[in-house]
Amino acid sequence: MSLAKKIIIGLGIVILAVAALLVGSYLYMTIPTKGEKIGTYEKPNRALLVIDIQDDFSGPNSTMYTQGDAEAAIARANDVIARAEKSQWPIIYIRHEFSGCMACIAKVFMGGRGIHMSPGIVMDKRVAVKSKNEFIKHRGDSFSNPNLDAFLRKNSVNELVLVGLDAQQCVYNTAKGALNRGYRVNIVTDAILLSAKEKWNELMEKYKRDGINILASKNL
């Protein structure tokens, strides 16, 4: 075999390996997790999940969303947080951090946003933080951190209210992960962000088909 052919074959193997890594990473990030079904509680509770509203994603220097959209959604999320605090629901803050090989991929495809130990992984300063219940995830589904499910079960939670971002990715995958465990799930439409705004109506229909309740903050 000539050297040229060996080089071509070698390059082909490298390309296939990179493609397989990208596909595998995408599936790892986007497939919702599954887990044991929750039980029946004598006094069931609701809980609020505030998902990924972080400086790198929604902050003033981010280009993922317009600041007008981000400010409006965060204002409504804060309204929901105030309602949750008044009603004594557990309020839970979810933060996303890319680590390991996913950090390398995030540098290429996410502009370096959300990488572990970087300054922008903190909560957006406009978010009202009313509890120390914080869980870090490395995948789209918040339930990929098993401590979240354990916390919810400990507090007899059987229903979730979701606000945050992104409606097509982490909010949706978290909702599906919750449904897979038997939780009732609600998303607050004016307190979530979607970067692909043209897909809003299609996505809302998808939520409905999957059994996820969609409502506005004023109707919560």
Side-chain angles (χ1 to χ4, degrees), residues 38 41 92 135 142-143 145-157 181 183:
I38 60 172
Y41 304 115
I92 300 159
F135 297 91
S142 301
F143 284 89
N145 183 337
N147 294 327
L148 170 62
D149 194 31
F151 175 88
L152 295 173
R153 292 172 190 267
K154 182 179 179 180
N155 287 275
S156 302
V157 172
R181 291 165 171 81
Y183 292 94

Side-chain angles (χ1 to χ4, degrees), residues 119-184:
I121 60 174
V122 298
M123 295 297 295
D124 189 309
K125 296 176 180 60
R126 293 167 290 186
V127 175
V129 178
K130 297 295 183 178
S131 81
K132 295 182 179 179
N133 304 322
E134 180 179 271
F135 297 91
I136 294 171
K137 64 182 177 64
H138 305 293
R139 298 173 62 179
D141 179 1
S142 301
F143 284 89
S144 59
N145 183 337
N147 294 327
L148 170 62
D149 194 31
F151 175 88
L152 295 173
R153 292 172 190 267
K154 182 179 179 180
N155 287 275
S156 302
V157 172
N158 71 346
E159 183 173 0
L160 300 176
V161 175
L162 309 185
V163 301
L165 56 99
D166 186 278
Q168 190 175 11
Q169 299 295 338
C170 295
V171 174
Y172 177 75
N173 288 328
T174 296
K176 288 289 288 183
L179 289 176
N180 289 341
R181 291 165 171 81
Y183 292 94
R184 177 180 171 86

Side-chain angles (χ1 to χ4, degrees), residues 97-117:
E97 294 185 5
F98 293 105
S99 60
C101 67
M102 290 307 304
C104 298
I105 293 172
K107 287 180 181 178
V108 176
F109 295 100
M110 292 289 293
R113 300 185 189 96
I115 295 176
H116 177 63
M117 297 295 288

